[in-house]
Amino acid sequence: MPQAEENPRFRRAMYLLILALLAGYIGFKAWHLSVAFDAWEDQPLKDVVSGAAK
């Protein structure tokens, strides 16, 4: 097994990197969804659609 994986500093740095990337992804996805819902909110339907969700 490589020595780097047994090094506690390396392991801690990798966990912090993973957590930072995960937090960044969640933050970006939240921003993306908020922009998408804001754009979608005020879009009227062009024609009457029977059976559409209310």
Side-chain angles (χ1 to χ4, degrees), residues 9-21:
R9 283 186 74 199
F10 177 78
R11 185 178 297 225
R12 191 176 313 118
M14 289 300 106
Y15 283 136
L16 286 174
L17 176 64
I18 291 168
L19 285 175
L21 290 171

